């Protein structure tokens, strides 16, 4: 199980873990780092540590906790890919967004200046898009978010900056369909 160092109170009264790396200054903004399908693994924790070294508090919540707390996989073996896709398929987006809203509220208490942005990858990239459409996060960054073309009806709800990154040849993001997201 990943070394979680924070418990977050969910909207329904349960608690779930998160990894937090703090900047050296208390008056730092917070980055809510949203995991890929591999859980809060060493890569996600290292990313938090890197952002903390750059002057941000970084928090990565366990978004798979409702299925299995502490998922920590890699992309190195077919068996772990299979497990990761199982968690992805079993993930309830609505509950996940409520958990991210709870994380956002917690992150606001950590921020010395009240600013919190989200940054997500793959599944987390889709959820960062939803943070732009369904939350008041100050900014949102999506890296190769999956399934965005299925949610174009939410574009009009974006209130704060959203930066989308796509790899043209990524087999999990629909290539030419990405132009629909950017239109």
């Amino acid at each position: 199980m990943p070394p979680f160092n924070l418990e977050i109170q969910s909207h329904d009264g349960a608690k779930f873990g998160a990894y937090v790396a703090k900047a050296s200054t208390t008056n730092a903004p917070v980055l809510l780092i949203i995991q890929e399908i591999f859980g809060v693994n060493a890569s996600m924790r290292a990313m938090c540590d890197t952002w903390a070294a750059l002057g941000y508090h970084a928090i990565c919540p366990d978004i798979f906790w409702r299925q299995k707390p502490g998922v920590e996989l890699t992309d190195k073996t077919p068996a772990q890919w299979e497990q990761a896709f199982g968690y992805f398929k079993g993930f309830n987006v609505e509950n996940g967004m409520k958990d991210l809203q709870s994380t956002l509220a917690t992150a606001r208490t950590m921020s010395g200046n009240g600013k919190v942005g989200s940054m997500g990858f793959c599944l987390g990239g889709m959820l960062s898009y939803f943070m732009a459409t369904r939350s008041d996060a100050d900014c949102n960054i999506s890296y190769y978010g999956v399934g965005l073309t299925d949610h174009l009806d939410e574009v009009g709800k974006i209130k704060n900056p959203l930066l989308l990154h796509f790899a043209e040849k990524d087999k999990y993001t629909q290539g030419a369909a990405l132009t629909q997201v950017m239109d």
Side-chain angles (χ1 to χ4, degrees), residues 3 5 15 17 22 25 31 58-59 68-69 72 84 91 97 102 109 114 117-119 123 133 137-138 157 159 165 172:
N5 53 4
K15 292 183 180 183
K22 291 192 174 186
T25 177
L31 277 175
I59 180 171
K68 180 181 177 187
E72 184 173 10
F91 181 70
M97 285 307 300
S102 296
T109 68
S118 77
M119 178 186 298
L123 168 60
T133 65
D138 296 291
K157 299 176 186 176
K159 299 176 215 75
H165 296 271
Y172 298 110

Side-chain angles (χ1 to χ4, degrees), residues 6 23 40 46-47 49 51 56 62 67 73 76 84 86 91 96 98 106 114 122 129 145 148 155-157 163 179 181:
L6 179 68
V40 183
M47 183 171 301
D49 294 341
W51 282 108
Y56 296 83
D62 180 5
Q67 295 178 73
L73 302 169
K76 305 296 183 213
F91 181 70
K98 289 176 184 174
T106 298
C122 196
Y129 169 80
L148 299 186
V155 168
K157 299 176 186 176
L163 179 61
T179 57
V181 174

Side-chain angles (χ1 to χ4, degrees), residues 146-168:
V146 295
L148 299 186
T149 55
D150 296 333
H151 303 283
L152 295 176
D153 58 325
E154 295 195 34
V155 168
K157 299 176 186 176
I158 298 171
K159 299 176 215 75
N160 290 322
L162 169 64
L163 179 61
L164 301 169
H165 296 271
F166 298 106
E168 185 178 345

Side-chain angles (χ1 to χ4, degrees), residues 39-173:
V40 183
N41 61 12
S43 295
M44 292 290 104
R45 295 190 305 273
M47 183 171 301
C48 289
D49 294 341
T50 298
W51 282 108
L54 293 170
Y56 296 83
H57 299 312
I59 180 171
C60 186
D62 180 5
I63 64 169
F64 287 154
W65 73 275
R66 292 179 185 274
Q67 295 178 73
K68 180 181 177 187
V71 171
E72 184 173 10
L73 302 169
T74 71
D75 61 356
K76 305 296 183 213
T77 69
Q80 291 205 356
W81 272 96
E82 187 176 324
Q83 281 183 294
F85 275 112
Y87 290 119
F88 173 70
K89 290 175 186 171
F91 181 70
N92 180 294
V93 171
E94 298 310 316
N95 276 335
M97 285 307 300
K98 289 176 184 174
D99 292 337
L100 289 172
Q101 291 278 1
S102 296
T103 305
L104 178 62
T106 298
R108 291 233 190 265
T109 68
M110 295 169 48
S111 174
N113 64 14
K115 299 290 184 185
V116 179
S118 77
M119 178 186 298
F121 304 85
C122 196
L123 168 60
M126 177 183 71
L127 297 173
S128 192
Y129 169 80
F130 288 149
M131 290 296 287
T133 65
R134 302 178 188 183
S135 84
D136 66 345
D138 296 291
C139 66
N140 304 278
I141 305 165
S142 169
Y143 285 92
Y144 51 93
V146 295
L148 299 186
T149 55
D150 296 333
H151 303 283
L152 295 176
D153 58 325
E154 295 195 34
V155 168
K157 299 176 186 176
I158 298 171
K159 299 176 215 75
N160 290 322
L162 169 64
L163 179 61
L164 301 169
H165 296 271
F166 298 106
E168 185 178 345
K169 296 180 182 179
D170 184 337
K171 67 181 179 180
Y172 298 110
T173 55

